[in-house]
Amino acid sequence: MRGFFRPLLGRVARRRWIHLILGGALVMPYVLVGAVIVGPVSGSSDVFTSLPLQLASFAVGLPLAAVTSLFPLTRPMSVAAVRALCGVDAGSLADGPARSRAAKGRTAAWFTLHLGLGGIVSGMSLSVPPFGAVLIVLPVFAGLRDTRLGLPEVLDRPWALALAPVAGAGTLLALAACAAGCGALLARWAPALLGPGPEDRLAAAEARAADLAVRNRLARELHDCVGHALSAVTLQASAARRVLDTDPEFVREALAAIEDTTRRTVGELDAVLGVLRDGDAPGTAPAPTLAADLDGLLRRTRAGGPRITAEVDTDPWALPPVVSREAYRIVQEGLSNALKHAGGQVPVTIRVGAVDGHLEITVENPLGQGTAAATARPGGGHGLRGVADRARLLGGAAHAGEADGAWRLWVRLPLKGPV
């Protein structure tokens, strides 16, 4: 028995019934406007006393509803109602306003269908239950036959009076079946009329690509700032430990460099985490640049003992800001790579210069023991891929590998164009 009534009065059916009644409530203003038009045309002063005129007002109101459904908020509101009440898979429905003409047409068709069926079911929901209830109790309350309820004369006959409760229950079941059928019809058509079109899928793909780009950018920032800091601090601490008893002055310089490195890295980490927390909101610290921060980077790295030679043949302050920021990260990653794979005692040479409208960056160190390519290290190579990504996003190029007995990172960034 429960299996019989569940499709008619179960939780899903009841929620869809509410959705239809919502459509009936939305259609009422349009019906009133239709009555204002139908009344003068028909010559009647009271449209709502005539069922044909009511139906005519309803028919006039639906096209008006279709026209107003072209407003941008119609589809988001309809989708929200369907997701909440119709038991439709949320992924099959589109998000946001309709963009194309076809999508607007489908939204108008849905809105008209929802209001049309909702108006019919709402009218039935108001009139059928009282009528069915009267039929059910009529044999018990015979006095109801003498009231002005407009009951059919056939109910005065004994056989009709005996069948009245059955007819009353049947009308209520018919109402439930009609509401369930209309609700199922709307649920079936919702993905087709409110589902994403090609333009919605393209917008969703672009949003996912943009989100992935932001995630990749944040991953590069975290890798570069934290990875370099850990490499530099490890090198500085190791060098300080070796000369702890013989060169206290060097130890003090190394500890100061460790303090400065960690403080700056915490600031950069806060900036990146601020972007993760607040979307595109600016972080608490500005991004380092080649012009303002290269000297500090070299000073802190040299404090750990590495021999670093830097040749800058261009004015860093004249570089475009985005080039200056990416160039700093590239130099930082080149130093981190050299420190991790070549060790703290191998000399590192950095050359930065402008050539033919491009900024060329070279980080080079001799191939000594432990200086195999970074990509040969288990789990390594992320930094070099990050360098290549930075260069590619600016329209440049990057290459890393052995050359003339040395490990060389070479990057070329355009000073104009894509940047």
Side-chain angles (χ1 to χ4, degrees), residues 56-313:
S57 301
F58 185 72
V60 171
L62 285 181
L64 299 177
V67 172
T68 58
S69 67
L70 299 178
F71 287 102
L73 287 178
T74 301
R75 190 170 74 170
M77 294 174 61
S78 299
V79 166
V82 170
R83 285 175 173 167
L85 298 173
C86 288
V88 177
D89 180 21
S92 65
L93 303 176
D95 293 312
R99 294 176 174 85
S100 67
R101 184 174 300 177
K104 292 179 180 178
R106 291 194 300 270
T107 302
W110 165 264
F111 193 69
T112 306
L113 181 64
H114 179 206
L115 269 60
L117 294 179
I120 294 172
V121 172
S122 296
M124 294 175 60
S125 299
L126 290 174
S127 59
V128 171
F131 179 71
V134 168
L135 291 179
I136 291 173
V137 302
L138 190 61
V140 179
F141 298 95
L144 290 174
R145 288 173 288 174
D146 301 327
T147 61
R148 297 180 178 180
L149 295 178
L151 297 176
E153 293 182 1
V154 71
L155 292 176
D156 291 333
R157 300 179 181 181
W159 64 267
L161 190 62
L163 292 177
V166 178
T171 57
L172 296 179
L173 285 176
L175 171 62
C178 183
C182 292
L185 179 65
L186 287 179
R188 181 177 180 180
W189 278 95
L193 298 178
L194 296 178
E199 66 284 346
D200 298 302
R201 295 187 179 92
L202 178 61
E206 291 175 348
R208 287 194 296 269
D211 181 66
L212 182 60
V214 171
R215 290 175 179 270
N216 288 338
R217 177 173 64 84
L218 294 177
R220 289 196 302 269
E221 294 293 327
L222 285 173
H223 176 276
D224 290 349
C225 69
V226 177
H228 172 78
L230 292 176
S231 298
V233 167
T234 300
L235 183 63
Q236 292 157 353
S238 177
R241 179 180 57 81
R242 289 196 299 268
V243 297
L244 181 62
D245 298 325
T246 59
D247 195 347
E249 182 62 28
F250 179 84
V251 173
R252 280 193 292 271
E253 292 179 0
L255 291 176
I258 290 174
E259 180 183 3
D260 188 26
T261 300
T262 53
R263 182 185 296 112
R264 290 181 59 86
T265 303
V266 168
E268 295 181 27
L269 186 60
D270 285 342
V272 175
L273 294 179
V275 175
L276 284 173
R277 286 190 298 265
D278 306 324
D280 292 332
T284 57
T289 64
L290 194 70
D293 300 282
L294 178 61
D295 292 340
L297 174 66
L298 297 177
R299 183 182 66 255
R300 292 189 300 274
T301 308
R302 286 171 177 147
R307 293 168 290 164
I308 301 174
T309 302
E311 302 175 5
V312 181
D313 297 331

Side-chain angles (χ1 to χ4, degrees), residues 283-377:
T284 57
T289 64
L290 194 70
D293 300 282
L294 178 61
D295 292 340
L297 174 66
L298 297 177
R299 183 182 66 255
R300 292 189 300 274
T301 308
R302 286 171 177 147
R307 293 168 290 164
I308 301 174
T309 302
E311 302 175 5
V312 181
D313 297 331
T314 187
D315 181 10
W317 294 99
L319 298 176
V322 65
V323 174
S324 186
R325 290 194 300 269
E326 299 303 314
Y328 174 88
R329 290 302 191 192
I330 290 170
V331 172
Q332 185 184 55
E333 175 55 33
L335 284 173
S336 298
N337 191 62
L339 296 179
K340 284 187 290 187
H341 303 289
Q345 304 304 316
V346 175
V348 180
T349 301
I350 301 172
R351 288 185 292 272
V352 179
V355 180
D356 298 331
H358 290 74
L359 184 71
E360 290 192 355
I361 304 170
T362 304
V363 182
E364 184 177 285
N365 59 270
L367 282 172
Q369 79 175 53
T371 57
T375 52
R377 179 173 59 90

